[in-house]
Amino acid sequence: MSHDVQQVRSFKHPGEGRKRAISSPKGRQVDPTAAHEIELLLADRPRRRDLLIEHLHLIQDTYKQISAAHLAALADEMNLSFAEVFETATFYAHFDVVKEGEPNIPPLTIRVCDSLTCAVLGAEKLLQEVQNGAGPGIRVVRAPCVGRCDTAPAAEVGHNFIDHAGVAGVLAAAKAGDTHAHLPEYVDYDAYVADGGYTLLKRLRSGEVSKEDLLKALDDASLRGLGGAGFPAGRKWRAVLGEPGPRLMAVNGDEGEPGTFKDRYYLETDPHRFLEGTLIGAHVVDAPDVYIYIRDEYPASRQILTREIAKLPPGGPVLHMRRGAGAYICGEESSLLESIEGKRGMPRHKPPYPFQVGLFGLPTLINNVETLWWVRDIVEKGADWWNSHGRNDRRGLRSYSVSGRVNNPGMKLAPAGITVRELIDEFCGGMADGHKFHAYLPGGASGGILPASMDDIPLDFGTLEKYGCFIGSAAVIILSDQDSVKGAALNLMRFFEDESCGQCTPCRVGTQKAAVLMQNPVWNRDLLDELSQVMRDASICGLGQAASNPLTSVIKYFPDEFLPKEAAE
C-alpha cells in the first residue's frame, strides 16, 4: 500500500470522533423543548462542524425560521459556542434568524428579484403589487439575482420560481400552496449511458486512457475555467496533482453573478455530463471526496443531482452535496471552501492558494460546473474539434447567458470571440420590438458596461481588459435607449453593497459610499474615481476589486449620463 493511499484512508473530517465535553450551566441556557426538537431533527446525522450550514437548513426548512432557542440548542448539540453558530446563521441571507423578543416570521416568503435584468423589465412595480396583494401569513422581500435573467422578471414563492412573473401568477401560486421546485425534463442516467456516457470514465479508470493523455487533451484545447477567472484547466489539474496527498475536490456551483444562468441550464438539461467530468477530475488528482456546492436559488438543480447521484454504480469518490444559503461572495473560491466547512463565507488571504492548502487544509481542485461539463466532449471529440470553433481569431465555444432587451434571451452556445452585434442578430432574434441598442454588459455585474458603438469587440478572455471590462462568466445584458445606464450602474453597486461580506474596509465601506454618491443627480467624478481606485487596490477579493467597474465605465463611456448637460456637451 502506497503512502498516499494510507494517508487517504486515514483522513477524517475535522471534529469526527471528538469527545464531547461535560457541560456546566453558565451563560445562555438551552431550552429543553428546543433541545429535544433539534435532537429529533438531526436524528442520526453526524454532528461535524462542516455540517453546520446543512443543519441550519434543516431548521429553516422545518420551522420556516430559526429561533434563538433553536440556535442555542444546535450549538449545544454540535459542541460549538453559541457565537459560532449565531455568526454563521446571520451571515447568510436565506437563514431567517429570529432574535429573542422578535415576532415570528410569516410561514411563506415570496422573493422578487430586483437585480439588473429584472429591474429593467419591471421588478419594482411587481414587488409593490405583490406586497399590496399579499395577505396575512405571507412575507414579501427583495432578492438579489436568482439566476433566471432569461425569464425576467422572476419571483420565488417558497422554492417555486415564477418566470415572466406577474402579480396574478405569483399570488395564485401562493394561495394554492404551490411552493416546491418544479423539475424540468432532463437526460437521466439511463439515457446518458445509452448515448455513450461514462465510457470515457471507464477507460480512464481501466488505464486505457492515461491521465497524461487526458491532461494533454485539455491543454491542447486550451480549456479555461468558465466560472469567470479563465485559468487554464489543465494547468490547474497538474498543479493539484503535484501537491502531496491526500487531496480533495470542490465544485463551484454558486453561480450568483447577476446575468448568469448557464450552469443552471447545464445542470437542468444534461447533469450526467457534468457528473462524468467531475468524476474524471477526481480520478486524475486522486481525490477520494468531492464536495458539490450548489447555490440555494437552484433547488431543481440540487434535486436532480441528488436523484441522479444515487443512480451511479458503487466505486469511485464519495460525492457530498452542499447547499448554499444566499451569499454571492461564496462564488469566490476561498469563500466557497469556508462555506463548505460550515463557516461564514469570508475570503481567505492568498497565498497559500487552494491548490496548496484548500478544503480542510488539504490540496484541493476547484472547478466550476461548466468547465467540468465540457471535459468529456473535448477528450472524446478531440482538441481539433474544440479549436475548430471560434471567430475573430479566437478558439472554442462559449456559453453566453444573454438577457435584457432582445427578442429571444437565453443560454446561447456560440463561437468564442463572437461580437455582441453578431450575438444579438444571429442568436437572439435582434433587439426587442421598439428598442434601440444602447449599451451592454459583456461580463455580468462586475464586467463593466460598454456603449453600443463598441459592438465589434470579440467577446472572449483577454479581449475586453484594455477597455476596463472583462468577459467573466459570459453574462451579456443588453440595454436599450429606454434604459438608464447610470441607473443600471447604481443598481449593480447596490447589489455589491448588499453582498459584500464585510471583512475588509475598502469593499464594505467603499460600496456603501459609492452607492450614496451615485444617487446624486450629478456625480462627483474626482471623488468616485478616487474611491474606485482604493477599492481596486485594497480589497481582499474580486468582489471589491471589480465592484467599481460599472461605475468607471459610465464615467468613461457615458459622460452625458452623469454630468450636467452643458458639461457633457
Side-chain angles (χ1 to χ4, degrees):
M1 182 183 298
S2 71
H3 178 63
D4 280 357
V5 173
Q6 286 178 324
Q7 284 186 305
V8 168
R9 291 185 177 178
S10 64
F11 168 67
K12 290 185 177 182
H13 293 276
E16 189 173 333
R18 181 193 303 170
K19 291 184 179 180
R20 183 168 175 173
I22 299 174
S23 60
S24 58
K26 53 185 173 182
R28 184 182 297 272
Q29 301 300 304
V30 177
D31 178 74
T33 300
H36 180 64
E37 290 170 343
I38 293 299
E39 186 177 358
L40 290 178
L41 195 60
L42 266 57
D44 60 351
R45 293 178 174 87
R47 269 62 168 171
R48 297 194 316 266
R49 176 67 172 83
D50 64 291
L51 292 173
L52 174 57
I53 293 174
E54 297 298 306
H55 296 341
L56 288 169
H57 274 302
L58 281 174
I59 301 173
Q60 177 75 41
D61 291 345
T62 303
Y63 295 99
K64 311 306 178 186
Q65 63 180 31
I66 303 176
S67 68
H70 280 147
L71 281 181
L74 180 63
D76 184 67
E77 187 68 23
M78 297 186 69
N79 197 27
L80 298 171
S81 70
F82 180 83
E84 284 182 278
V85 177
F86 181 82
E87 71 178 11
T88 301
T90 54
F91 179 85
Y92 295 93
H94 290 184
F95 293 141
D96 297 317
V97 178
V98 179
K99 301 173 185 176
E100 292 179 355
E102 292 183 344
N104 288 333
I105 291 172
L108 177 61
T109 294
I110 297 175
R111 289 184 166 88
V112 178
C113 178
D114 69 350
S115 288
L116 182 54
T117 304
C118 285
V120 165
L121 295 175
E124 193 64 35
K125 179 182 177 183
L126 174 64
L127 175 68
Q128 294 175 0
E129 291 177 344
V130 174
Q131 287 175 332
N132 293 335
I138 300 176
R139 179 180 62 151
V140 182
V141 298
R142 296 176 182 272
C145 187
V146 296
R148 307 188 83 84
C149 317
D150 53 330
T151 56
E156 183 184 13
V157 181
H159 290 300
N160 174 23
F161 284 94
I162 311 296
D163 295 327
H164 303 295
V167 62
V170 173
L171 295 179
K175 183 178 180 180
D178 187 6
T179 61
H180 299 288
H182 293 219
L183 271 58
E185 293 185 5
Y186 63 90
V187 180
D188 66 7
Y189 176 78
D190 291 336
Y192 184 72
V193 171
D195 192 37
Y198 293 110
T199 299
L200 175 59
L201 177 64
K202 292 177 182 177
R203 295 176 63 205
L204 181 65
R205 288 176 172 174
S206 69
E208 183 181 347
V209 173
S210 70
K211 292 182 180 181
E212 183 55 39
D213 290 339
L214 191 137
L215 289 169
K216 186 177 185 303
L218 299 185
D219 290 339
D220 290 346
S222 299
L223 177 65
R224 303 177 69 164
L226 298 172
F231 192 85
R235 277 181 57 191
K236 178 180 283 191
W237 290 25
R238 291 180 190 276
V240 176
L241 188 57
E243 295 293 314
R247 310 176 192 92
L248 297 174
M249 182 175 179
V251 176
N252 189 343
D254 196 59
E255 181 182 51
E257 181 80 3
T260 310
F261 46 87
K262 61 185 178 61
D263 287 356
R264 176 178 61 83
Y265 172 84
Y266 286 122
L267 290 174
E268 293 182 0
T269 56
D270 198 357
H272 282 281
R273 198 170 298 267
F274 153 71
L275 287 173
E276 183 170 10
T278 300
L279 293 171
I280 288 171
H283 179 87
V284 169
V285 301
D286 298 319
D289 290 270
V290 179
Y291 292 80
I292 303 174
Y293 188 99
I294 303 295
R295 68 186 307 217
D296 199 30
E297 291 86 347
Y298 289 178
S301 298
R302 290 197 318 274
Q303 290 183 34
I304 289 170
L305 287 177
T306 300
R307 175 189 294 179
E308 296 305 311
I309 286 172
K311 298 177 183 178
L312 296 175
V318 179
L319 302 181
H320 306 268
M321 288 291 295
R322 286 290 189 270
R323 178 179 172 185
Y328 166 74
I329 190 63
C330 290
E332 193 275 334
E333 62 178 7
S334 66
S335 301
L336 176 88
L337 299 179
E338 291 288 296
S339 191
I340 291 174
E341 292 179 0
K343 306 170 188 174
R344 296 176 294 170
M346 296 284 200
R348 299 175 181 176
H349 291 277
K350 303 172 186 177
Y353 296 95
F355 80 89
Q356 300 165 315
V357 180
L359 194 58
F360 306 123
L362 299 176
T364 304
L365 173 63
I366 307 174
N367 281 126
N368 94 303
V369 169
E370 191 199 353
T371 307
L372 296 167
W373 196 91
W374 282 113
V375 168
R376 176 193 166 190
D377 279 351
I378 287 175
V379 177
E380 289 187 342
K381 297 179 180 179
D384 289 343
W385 165 79
W386 178 260
N387 291 325
S388 68
H389 299 87
R391 293 187 186 177
N392 300 307
D393 297 322
R394 314 304 295 181
R395 296 290 180 267
L397 294 165
R398 292 289 176 270
S399 303
Y400 298 95
S401 303
V402 186
S403 64
R405 303 293 194 175
V406 293
N407 274 321
N408 300 312
M411 203 291 291
K412 309 297 180 180
L413 185 61
I418 195 172
T419 67
V420 70
R421 175 60 69 181
E422 293 169 335
L423 194 60
I424 293 172
D425 292 343
E426 298 177 31
F427 290 83
C428 300
M431 292 293 294
D433 293 343
H435 291 268
K436 181 181 178 182
F437 184 29
H438 177 53
Y440 67 105
L441 285 72
S446 54
I449 308 176
L450 292 172
S453 59
M454 298 173 66
D455 63 357
D456 58 349
I457 303 170
L459 299 178
D460 198 11
F461 295 111
T463 61
L464 294 154
E465 283 75 3
K466 63 183 178 181
Y467 305 106
C469 300
F470 57 80
I471 191 171
S473 57
V476 181
I477 303 175
I478 306 298
L479 302 177
S480 79
D481 55 341
Q482 299 182 31
D483 302 315
S484 165
V485 177
K486 179 181 174 183
L490 176 58
N491 175 284
L492 299 173
M493 188 58 71
R494 285 172 172 162
F495 169 82
F496 291 125
E497 176 191 2
D498 186 60
E499 294 295 337
S500 172
C501 75
Q503 181 178 189
C504 67
T505 302
C507 178
R508 181 185 68 251
V509 178
T511 52
Q512 186 269 332
K513 294 296 183 184
V516 171
L517 292 169
M518 292 167 70
Q519 294 178 57
N520 294 328
V522 178
W523 286 2
N524 185 329
R525 174 173 181 170
D526 291 339
L527 187 55
L528 285 170
D529 276 339
E530 183 179 358
L531 182 59
S532 299
Q533 192 65 49
V534 170
M535 291 167 63
R536 283 194 296 271
D537 291 345
S539 295
I540 291 174
C541 80
L543 190 157
Q545 294 163 9
S548 63
N549 285 343
L551 157 63
T552 54
S553 294
V554 173
I555 291 175
K556 185 175 183 179
Y557 297 114
F558 303 91
D560 56 322
E561 295 215 16
F562 81 93
L563 290 173
K565 184 176 182 182
E566 58 274 13
E569 294 174 348

